[in-house]
């Protein structure tokens, strides 16, 4: 059996995949509450990597305020007049995998993203086929993959098309409910179950199934 990676978890091909395809670099999201005071400021400055801003109103409803983000001289900001009174604010930011000696000074990749598996195979299994095809099925029985990892960066797994995939698979919008991942609000148990179920399904559809063909 051939180990498919120079260490584990698999997917980065010793750094060849993220080097050749920077869009495959591991990503995730952080979901954090943000304290603010309407008395002191007219707007809240947001980090450049902000994806969404969500508010939890006193009546228990969640609202996606991302469309109200504006650009100013310092970057992204949210006007405070767009925030309902007595609401709790949450900022969701995109995080990227950082270089690590564990990955040979490279970064890990995002196994939930479309095409990552195919790019990985082009550097690994295609090279095995070119050099050792005469041994396939005899001396070489197959390849071994060790602990594919979906926690590549941030607090929670993510992909660029996760909101669309979640909506198609679960039937509702995950973005306004992302604070339920960190606080017991809304129908938080169901939201967390559906979130991780979607993560699992994406891993199966985009990594395990294509890998096994």
């Amino acid at each position: 059996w051939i180990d498919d990676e120079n260490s584990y978890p698999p997917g980065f091909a010793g750094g060849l995949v993220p080097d050749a395809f920077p869009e495959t670099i591991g990503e995730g999201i952080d979901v954090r509450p943000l304290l603010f005071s309407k008395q002191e400021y007219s707007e809240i400055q947001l980090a450049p990597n902000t994806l969404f801003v969500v508010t939890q109103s006193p009546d228990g409803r969640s609202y996606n305020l991302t469309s109200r983000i504006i650009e100013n001289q310092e970057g992204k900001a949210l006007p405070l007049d767009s925030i309902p009174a007595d609401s709790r604010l949450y900022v969701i930011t995109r995080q990227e995998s950082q270089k690590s000696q564990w990955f040979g000074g490279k970064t890990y990749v995002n196994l939930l993203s479309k095409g990552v598996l195919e790019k990985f195979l082009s550097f690994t299994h295609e090279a095995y086929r070119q050099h050792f095809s005469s041994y396939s099925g005899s001396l070489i029985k197959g390849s071994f993959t060790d602990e594919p990892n979906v926690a590549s960066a941030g607090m929670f797994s993510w992909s660029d098309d996760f909101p669309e995939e979640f909506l198609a698979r679960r039937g509702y919008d995950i973005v306004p409910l992302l604070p339920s991942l960190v606080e017991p609000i809304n129908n938080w148990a169901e939201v967390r179950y559906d979130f991780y179920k979607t993560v699992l399904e994406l891993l199966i559809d985009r990594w395990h199934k294509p890998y096994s063909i």
Side-chain angles (χ1 to χ4, degrees), residues 46-196:
L46 302 172
N49 60 335
T50 298
L51 288 179
F52 311 109
V53 177
V54 175
T55 185
Q56 176 83 8
S57 66
D59 63 5
R61 297 182 181 182
S62 294
Y63 300 93
N64 184 357
L65 301 182
T66 306
S67 63
R68 303 182 188 182
I69 293 176
I70 62 173
E71 299 286 338
N72 60 19
Q73 291 182 338
E74 279 124 26
K76 296 180 179 180
L78 181 72
L80 290 181
D81 58 9
S82 66
I83 303 174
D86 300 320
S87 296
R88 188 168 173 83
L89 195 66
Y90 297 85
V91 176
I92 294 89
T93 54
R94 182 182 184 274
Q95 305 298 320
E96 278 196 357
S97 177
Q98 301 300 307
K99 292 181 178 180
S100 167
Q101 289 305 310
W102 185 263
F103 302 115
K106 307 294 184 177
T107 62
Y108 193 49
V109 293
N110 187 2
L111 302 191
L112 301 186
S113 293
K114 287 181 179 179
V116 170
L117 184 275
E118 290 75 14
K119 293 177 174 65
F120 169 70
L121 294 181
S122 72
F123 285 113
T124 55
H125 294 60
E126 179 58 25
Y128 303 155
R129 186 191 67 79
Q130 292 176 8
H131 291 280
F132 306 116
S133 60
S134 60
Y135 299 104
S136 178
S138 55
L139 180 63
I140 300 175
K141 305 298 183 182
S143 65
F144 168 75
T145 188
D146 190 4
E147 300 182 20
N149 187 2
V150 296
S152 57
M155 298 166 62
F156 301 101
S157 304
W158 195 254
S159 65
D160 288 344
D161 63 346
F162 193 91
E164 292 77 16
E165 286 291 332
F166 188 96
L167 179 61
R169 295 166 188 260
R170 308 282 86 88
Y172 62 95
D173 186 5
I174 185 60
V175 172
L177 301 175
L178 286 172
S180 299
L181 299 179
V182 295
E183 306 231 27
I185 54 179
N186 301 305
N187 192 3
W188 61 272
E190 180 180 351
V191 170
R192 294 181 192 184
Y193 176 86
D194 285 348
F195 180 88
Y196 286 109

